Amino acid sequence: MKLKNFLLVVLGIAGSYTSVAQSNLLNAKTPAEIGKKTAAQLESDNDKPLPYGYVHDRDVLMGKTTWEMIDLDERINFPMYYPVDTANIGKERRSLFQVLLNGIKSGKITEVYGDDYFNSKKSLKDMENTFKFRDTTQPGIDEFNTDIEGYKSGKKVLDKQYITETELDAADVSGYKIKGFWYFDKRQSELKYRLLAICPMATEARDKAKGNTDAIELFWVYFPSIRDILHDAKAFNDKNSAMPITFDQLLNSRRFNGVIYKEENVYGDRTIQDYMKDNAQMQLLESERVKEKIRNFEQDMWNY
């Protein structure tokens, strides 16, 4: 009897999560009603990201800042990359880059920087050419030269057919760089990780228009400031579409594969590539050595 009651409780909890994940999907009478929560759901909805606990500086016995590269060509990282084409998919599914881009354009994401040390802040105006680039074709330049004074004075306007627009989209993102802090909490005797910043790697719209495909750091976002936005955005769960995972959960639980390319060091935080030149295998082995060095600290704490 007790087992039966326990199973009923488990099924009830699972059903409540499912109803939240598929808001009004089974009860909608029209497609417009799909995704809209009922009044009862809105009243009981306290769905927020799990807050970080307060950590006193005295409780941090060991700490190490690391930088990692997340390659979107790896299958485990696909939930961050797809969907790249949003024309034939629901509004609730967007790629991680599209979520960040929409947040920046709407003004919800403001902690955007040009470097991973948060020294230079970036505004939307500073990144105009990063997201969209407008250029004049050669026939348009020839047309402009026929009456330079007329175009400069504003009496004549260049036709739109001579203007090309190149926009940056999710398909152009090749990976993400992340900055995080590994620390040993002596109060809880546990090695923990705190994500500090994230940076999409892609070709700027201006370079994309010129045929350049080299990926660069577009911008760095201070991660704790965007947790609410990432919590509202859902990543695809290929094992159970009724229970999608949020991007906040995906990143905080480290459900991705990343390779350490830099750790803080006395040499001005030089990258592994700076001292392991022209040898990709040795760079990967050095990355694993840095990872094991952090892990071994926790293991050594339990030696008697």
Side-chain angles (χ1 to χ4, degrees):
M1 192 66 180
K2 291 183 178 179
L3 179 60
K4 183 179 179 180
N5 293 335
F6 175 75
L7 291 175
L8 288 174
V9 171
V10 171
L11 290 174
I13 294 174
S16 65
Y17 277 112
T18 303
S19 65
V20 172
Q22 299 282 359
S23 300
N24 211 31
L25 176 64
L26 303 179
N27 302 316
K29 296 181 180 179
T30 63
E33 295 179 0
I34 298 177
K36 292 183 178 180
K37 296 182 180 180
T38 63
Q41 286 176 324
L42 290 173
E43 185 178 352
S44 62
D45 188 9
N46 59 349
D47 188 22
K48 295 181 180 179
L50 186 66
Y52 291 144
Y54 176 76
V55 181
H56 199 286
D57 292 340
R58 291 178 299 183
D59 295 332
V60 179
L61 188 62
M62 183 278 297
K64 173 69 72 173
T65 302
T66 60
W67 289 256
E68 297 174 75
M69 180 67 189
I70 302 174
D71 188 355
L72 294 183
D73 284 336
E74 297 186 35
R75 185 175 296 275
I76 192 175
N77 299 328
F78 280 178
M80 297 186 191
Y81 181 67
Y82 291 103
V84 294
D85 185 7
T86 59
N88 300 314
I89 204 164
K91 296 180 180 179
E92 72 280 356
R93 287 187 59 189
R94 291 294 182 267
S95 66
L96 177 57
F97 178 74
Q98 196 64 49
V99 172
L100 294 175
L101 185 60
N102 292 343
I104 293 174
K105 288 183 176 181
S106 64
K108 294 180 179 179
I109 297 179
T110 57
E111 297 301 312
V112 184
Y113 298 85
D115 63 290
D116 50 347
Y117 294 98
F118 316 118
N119 292 322
S120 57
K121 201 165 186 179
K122 277 190 171 184
S123 63
L124 182 58
K125 186 176 181 180
D126 297 331
M127 297 183 289
E128 285 181 351
N129 290 335
T130 299
F131 302 138
K132 181 184 288 188
F133 179 69
R134 300 183 65 193
D135 198 9
T136 306
T137 61
Q138 187 58 45
I141 296 175
D142 297 336
E143 172 66 23
F144 180 83
N145 291 333
T146 59
D147 189 2
I148 297 177
E149 295 299 327
Y151 283 109
K152 285 186 175 180
S153 62
K155 295 179 180 179
K156 297 181 68 176
V157 179
L158 200 63
D159 195 270
K160 291 183 179 180
Q161 64 176 330
Y162 299 123
I163 305 297
T164 60
E165 287 190 356
T166 304
E167 290 193 33
L168 194 67
D169 52 35
D172 299 315
V173 180
S174 61
Y176 289 92
K177 286 184 176 181
I178 60 172
K179 178 183 179 181
F181 186 69
W182 288 96
Y183 66 97
F184 188 85
D185 190 337
K186 69 178 183 180
R187 185 179 292 273
Q188 299 185 17
S189 299
E190 185 179 358
L191 183 67
K192 296 183 179 181
Y193 178 77
R194 183 69 61 86
L195 189 56
L196 299 178
I198 187 168
C199 168
M201 298 288 296
T203 304
E204 285 187 328
R206 175 171 24 188
D207 294 333
K208 179 183 176 182
K210 297 178 181 179
N212 185 7
T213 58
D214 295 334
I216 63 170
E217 298 177 2
L218 297 182
F219 52 84
W220 284 88
V221 183
Y222 187 62
F223 184 80
S225 67
I226 61 171
R227 291 194 62 206
D228 288 332
I229 296 172
L230 295 183
H231 185 76
D232 293 335
K234 311 296 182 182
F236 183 72
N237 184 356
D238 59 348
K239 295 182 179 179
N240 186 358
S241 59
M243 297 186 67
I245 181 174
T246 69
F247 282 114
D248 177 67
Q249 294 170 339
L250 185 146
L251 291 166
N252 275 307
S253 60
R254 294 188 62 85
R255 293 180 60 168
F256 59 83
N257 183 49
V259 177
I260 296 176
Y261 69 90
K262 183 171 70 169
E263 66 167 332
E264 58 179 349
N265 53 70
V266 70
Y267 304 102
D269 292 350
R270 66 179 180 179
T271 63
I272 292 176
Q273 190 176 6
D274 290 337
Y275 61 93
M276 291 283 183
K277 299 181 182 294
D278 303 326
N279 195 327
Q281 183 179 9
M282 292 302 297
Q283 291 172 12
L284 288 174
L285 291 175
E286 178 66 8
S287 174
E288 289 298 317
R289 186 193 68 82
V290 174
K291 188 185 298 183
E292 288 300 318
K293 181 175 64 175
I294 298 172
R295 287 176 177 172
N296 288 339
F297 184 89
E298 182 184 30
Q299 296 297 325
D300 294 340
M301 293 296 295
W302 300 105
N303 287 339
Y304 294 97

